[in-house]
Amino acid sequence: MAVMIHSKYGYEPPEWVQADARLDRWYKDKKRRAKQHGAFRLENKTKPVYQVLQGDGFNLEKKGN
């Protein structure tokens, strides 16, 4: 039987532990790069509340003829 290793996701085979570690590093790097460039948020796709309340620079009411 394969050796099972205790990781933060439970007991897994060594290959899965390596794959989990690789994915965790990839996700951490992706979050860091997104934060660095301000491109997008991975966790929350909605606008912050303060932008909705104060407006974000678009005057939708006055748009028109």
Side-chain angles (χ1 to χ4, degrees):
M1 178 161 191
V3 176
M4 301 297 274
I5 299 173
H6 181 70
S7 69
K8 64 181 180 181
Y9 301 111
Y11 286 95
E12 301 176 323
E15 297 85 14
W16 289 20
V17 173
Q18 290 174 354
D20 287 340
R22 193 168 35 245
L23 285 171
D24 288 342
R25 282 193 303 268
W26 173 81
Y27 185 68
K28 184 178 178 183
D29 184 55
K30 189 166 181 73
K31 280 177 49 174
R32 182 187 60 82
R33 287 175 180 260
K35 181 180 176 185
Q36 189 176 38
H37 296 291
F40 58 91
R41 295 183 185 167
L42 294 174
E43 290 84 17
N44 188 2
K45 295 283 185 178
T46 61
K47 287 185 179 181
V49 174
Y50 68 88
Q51 281 186 344
V52 173
L53 294 176
Q54 294 178 354
D56 55 357
F58 295 103
N59 294 325
L60 296 176
E61 303 87 35
K62 297 180 183 179
K63 193 172 187 179
N65 299 31

